[in-house]
Amino acid sequence: MGYKLEGLLSHVLPSSIASWGVLQLCVLAVLLVLLLRVGRLLLKYSSNIRRLRCFAQPPKRNWLLGHLGIMRNTEEGLQSVDELVKTYKHSCAWFLGPFYTLIRLFHPDYIKPLLLASGVLIKTAACVSGQGLLLSNGEHWSRHRRLLTPAFHFDILKNYVTIFNKSTDIMHEKWCRLVEEGQNCLDMFEQISLMTLHSLLKCTFSYDSNCQEHPSEYIAAIYELSTLVVQREHRMLYHWDWLYWRTDEGRRFRRACAMVHRFTANIVQKRRAALNQQQEPEQQSRSSKAKKVTDFIDVLLLSRDEDGNGLTDEEIKAEADTFMFEGHDTTASGISWILYNLALHPDHQDRCRAEVDALLQGRDSEEIEWNDLSNLPYTTMCIKESLRLHPPVTAVTRRFAQDMTVPGGRVIPQGNICLVSIYGTHHNPDIWPNPEVYDPMRFDPENSKGRSSHAFVPFSAGPRNCIGQNFAMAEMKVVVALTLLRFRVTPRDSEVRRLPELILRAERGLWLRLEPRIPPKD
C-alpha cells in the first residue's frame, strides 16, 4: 500500500508543481502589463502636469482629490466662479482627482480660439437624441450641419412667428383664468416650459399637443428625461453605462427614451410615406407648398447634400429629438430669467412696455409680426442683458486632438478637456464693469463699440454655435413683448437661488406675481 501511494505522489506532484509554476508566470505577466500601463499613465500625467504649469492653479483640497467637490452646482458654486474670475482673470487649471484635468477659460480672448476651432464635444445625453447635431462630430456633424441650416433660414422662421403668438396666447389665457381664481403668483419655469414645448411640437411636427392644458405621455417622457440626465450627471458611478443601465433610473431612462423615439419615428415614417405618394402636377405642388407652413420635419425630408443624398429616417428622428430635447428648456430658461430681471427693474419693464404699446398702436390685433422683431430695440437690449446675466447654458466643453494655443504663449496639451465658461465670461469684470448689475444700456450700439465679438456668447460661437439661435431669439421677443403688453410682473418676496444644471434654473422655481393690465386706448 505504501509503495502504491509513493508511486502515485511521484506522478502527481511534478505536474501540480508545473501547473502552479505556469499560473505564477501568468499572474506575474498580468501584473507586469498592469505596472507598465500604470507607469505609462503616470508618465503621461506627470508630463501633462508640467505642461499645464503655464496656467494658474487655485488651491486644492489635497494632492489626491485636487479640486474635486469644490465647485458645486448651486448658488454658492456660481459665486465661487465669480471669485475665480476675479482672481485669475482669464483661465486656470482644474484637477478632478489624481488623473482627470481640465482647463477653465472665462475671457473672450481665451475662449475665441477654442470656439473657432473644430473640437470634439463631451457627450452627456446621447441616448436621448442619438447622433443628432448637438452630439455628433467629424464629417457626420459637417454634413448634418449643412443639411439642417436651411431649416433655420429667415424665410422658414417667418412662418413660426404665428405659432409663437398662438402658444403665448394660450398661456396668457390660462394665466388670466388662474389670476381670477386667486392664483396670481406662478412659477415661470413651469408655465413657460410648457409653452415652449407647445411651440416646438407645432414647429417641428405640426402637432397640436394641447400640452399647456392637458398632460400627455410624450410630454411626461420629455420631462422625465431632463430630470434623469441631471441626476446621472451628479452621480459619478452612474457615468459608467454598464452600471447605469442596471439601476432603476437607467431602466426608467430607457423607457422614456423609447417613448420619445416611437413618437418621432411614427411621425417621420408617415411624412415620408405621404411625400413618396404625392402625385400632384408640379405647378399644383408648388402652389400648395407656397401656402403650407413648412415645419422642421418637412425641411429635413426634402434636404439634399451635394451628391443628391438626403437624411435617413433614423437621422431625421435623431435631429428632431435633439431639437425638442435641447430647444424647449433653453428657451424657457431664457424667457423666465428675462421676466425675472424686468420684474426686479420696473423702470426697464415700463420702457419695454411703452415700446410694445407704440409698436402695436392702431392695430386691430395684438399679434407680433416678423417685421416687428427688428423694431423692438430697447426690448432686445433688455433680453440680451438678461442672457448675459443669466445665460441658459452656463458652460460648454471641448476636447481637441491637437495642442491649442491661447494668449500669453500658453498651450493646452491635446486631450485635456477645455471648459468654456459662458457664465464666467459674461461676469468677467475686466470685460463687463459691475457685472452683477442689470444694465441693458451695455448693449446700446454706441456702448458696444470695441467690445470683443466673444464677450457675449449665450449661444456659443464659431462653427459649433447654436444653429437655432435666431429661432430662440424670435420666440423670446414675441413672448416677452406680448407678456409685457398684457401683464405687469413683480417679484415675490423671497430669495431666488440660482441652480446651474443642464440649463440655468432656480431652486424651488422662479415665482413672479402677475397683474393683468388694461391696455391703453388708441
Side-chain angles (χ1 to χ4, degrees):
M1 183 68 180
Y3 290 112
K4 290 182 179 179
L5 180 60
E6 184 178 341
L8 181 64
L9 290 172
S10 66
H11 284 87
V12 173
L13 283 176
S15 61
S16 300
I17 292 171
S19 299
W20 176 244
V22 171
L23 181 61
Q24 283 182 314
L25 287 174
C26 290
V27 171
L28 287 173
V30 170
L31 288 174
L32 183 60
V33 170
L34 288 175
L35 285 172
L36 286 172
R37 289 184 178 179
V38 170
R40 289 196 195 100
L41 184 63
L42 288 171
L43 285 173
K44 183 179 179 180
Y45 178 73
S46 177
S47 173
N48 191 51
I49 293 297
R50 285 197 302 272
R51 296 187 67 189
L52 290 178
R53 286 175 182 168
C54 58
F55 290 94
Q57 298 184 15
K60 305 174 186 176
R61 292 179 63 182
N62 53 55
W63 68 270
L64 179 63
L65 297 177
H67 301 100
L68 189 65
I70 291 179
M71 201 70 72
R72 298 184 179 276
N73 290 345
T74 60
E75 172 67 31
E76 288 75 20
L78 288 177
Q79 292 173 7
S80 296
V81 174
D82 292 335
E83 291 302 316
L84 209 64
V85 173
K86 290 177 185 176
T87 304
Y88 299 103
K89 308 296 184 184
H90 48 70
S91 60
C92 65
W94 203 255
F95 302 90
L96 303 176
F99 299 113
Y100 195 76
T101 60
L102 59 84
I103 306 299
R104 290 178 173 271
L105 304 110
F106 31 81
H107 189 284
D109 295 343
Y110 282 70
I111 68 173
K112 183 176 181 178
L114 304 183
L115 293 178
L116 293 178
S118 298
V120 174
L121 268 70
I122 311 303
K123 301 181 180 182
T124 58
C127 179
V128 179
S129 54
Q131 284 297 309
L133 191 65
L134 178 72
L135 298 175
S136 58
N137 291 292
E139 180 56 34
H140 181 277
W141 171 83
S142 299
R143 177 175 179 267
H144 280 224
R145 180 82 182 202
R146 291 194 300 273
L147 290 174
L148 263 67
T149 297
F152 297 96
H153 190 275
F154 290 127
D155 289 338
I156 302 296
L157 294 181
K158 289 177 183 178
N159 298 321
Y160 296 153
V161 171
T162 300
I163 296 173
F164 299 154
N165 276 271
K166 291 179 179 177
S167 296
T168 307
D169 290 345
I170 293 171
M171 180 177 69
H172 288 167
E173 289 170 7
K174 183 172 68 171
W175 286 5
C176 288
R177 188 173 66 250
L178 291 172
V179 170
E180 288 177 0
E181 295 171 357
Q183 301 181 53
N184 68 336
C185 192
L186 300 175
D187 177 11
M188 291 296 103
F189 274 103
E190 178 185 351
Q191 299 291 322
I192 294 172
S193 63
L194 282 173
M195 185 274 300
T196 55
L197 265 174
H198 183 274
S199 292
L200 272 179
L201 282 165
K202 187 68 175 175
C203 295
T204 307
F205 306 115
S206 294
Y207 178 72
D208 290 309
S209 66
N210 200 25
C211 64
Q212 297 195 68
E213 296 289 354
H214 303 288
S216 72
E217 189 181 5
Y218 177 81
I219 300 300
I222 288 286
Y223 278 128
E224 184 167 33
L225 286 172
S226 299
T227 301
L228 291 171
V229 167
V230 171
Q231 289 178 354
R232 187 180 186 187
E233 182 185 16
H234 292 172
R235 299 178 184 179
M236 187 65 71
L237 291 178
Y238 282 6
H239 289 202
W240 281 275
D241 288 346
W242 184 88
L243 175 62
Y244 184 67
W245 302 132
R246 285 162 176 77
T247 65
D248 179 60
E249 289 88 344
R251 288 187 286 271
R252 285 168 51 203
F253 194 97
R254 283 193 186 277
R255 285 195 297 270
C257 270
M259 196 282 135
V260 170
H261 294 334
R262 279 197 307 271
F263 177 88
T264 309
N266 183 48
I267 291 179
V268 172
Q269 289 167 8
K270 287 181 178 178
R271 291 292 193 84
R272 176 82 73 182
L275 189 66
N276 292 338
Q277 292 173 4
Q278 203 170 29
Q279 299 293 330
E280 296 176 334
E282 184 179 352
Q283 187 63 34
Q284 184 178 347
S285 177
R286 285 179 182 174
S287 176
S288 65
K289 284 181 182 177
K291 294 178 182 178
K292 180 185 176 185
V293 176
T294 306
D295 62 21
F296 190 63
I297 293 295
D298 278 335
V299 176
L300 296 189
L301 284 168
L302 295 169
S303 62
R304 295 290 183 270
D305 60 20
E306 54 273 15
D307 298 322
N309 299 317
L311 296 168
T312 66
D313 285 1
E314 190 64 28
E315 290 172 328
I316 292 174
K317 178 173 72 68
E319 298 300 349
D321 286 340
T322 298
F323 191 42
M324 287 299 306
F325 183 74
E326 301 295 335
H328 84 277
D329 254 2
T330 49
T331 309
S333 173
I335 296 170
S336 298
W337 287 110
I338 292 164
L339 295 178
Y340 168 76
N341 283 307
L342 291 176
L344 290 180
H345 301 87
D347 51 335
H348 296 308
Q349 181 181 160
D350 289 341
R351 186 169 172 181
C352 289
R353 183 177 292 109
E355 185 174 67
V356 177
D357 285 341
L359 180 69
L360 298 179
Q361 188 174 13
R363 295 191 189 178
D364 295 331
S365 75
E366 294 179 344
E367 182 172 345
I368 300 293
E369 300 173 355
W370 171 258
N371 292 332
D372 294 333
L373 301 182
S374 59
N375 293 317
L376 294 167
Y378 194 76
T379 303
T380 301
M381 288 161 55
C382 288
I383 290 172
K384 288 184 176 181
E385 174 64 351
S386 184
L387 293 174
R388 181 199 68 80
L389 196 60
H390 295 98
V393 178
T394 58
V396 294
T397 54
R398 298 285 189 273
R399 182 187 279 130
F400 297 93
Q402 71 279 355
D403 290 356
M404 295 299 298
T405 302
V406 293
R410 297 176 177 85
V411 176
I412 303 173
Q414 68 175 40
N416 284 281
I417 295 174
C418 302
L419 189 146
V420 176
S421 178
I422 295 174
Y423 174 88
T425 303
H426 287 186
H427 287 73
N428 193 322
D430 286 354
I431 310 301
W432 305 97
N434 301 314
E436 71 285 352
V437 175
Y438 181 78
D439 180 11
M441 291 307 295
R442 299 179 198 271
F443 290 92
D444 181 271
E446 285 297 317
N447 296 332
S448 299
K449 289 180 180 178
R451 185 182 298 149
S452 169
S453 59
H454 287 68
F456 178 65
V457 285
F459 301 103
S460 189
R464 298 206 67 139
N465 68 345
C466 174
I467 194 172
Q469 60 181 293
N470 291 323
F471 178 98
M473 279 298 293
E475 185 170 18
M476 283 189 273
K477 288 181 182 181
V478 170
V479 177
V480 170
L482 290 179
T483 300
L484 297 182
L485 179 72
R486 297 165 181 166
F487 297 89
R488 184 174 299 279
V489 291
T490 56
R492 194 170 71 166
D493 298 328
S494 59
E495 179 190 12
V496 172
R497 289 173 54 83
R498 297 166 296 177
L499 182 64
E501 293 182 333
L502 290 178
I503 60 163
L504 185 61
R505 297 183 179 274
E507 291 182 17
R508 299 180 296 278
L510 192 60
W511 296 78
L512 295 179
R513 289 192 175 90
L514 299 170
E515 178 187 335
R517 176 174 173 262
I518 301 174
K521 295 181 179 180
D522 295 344

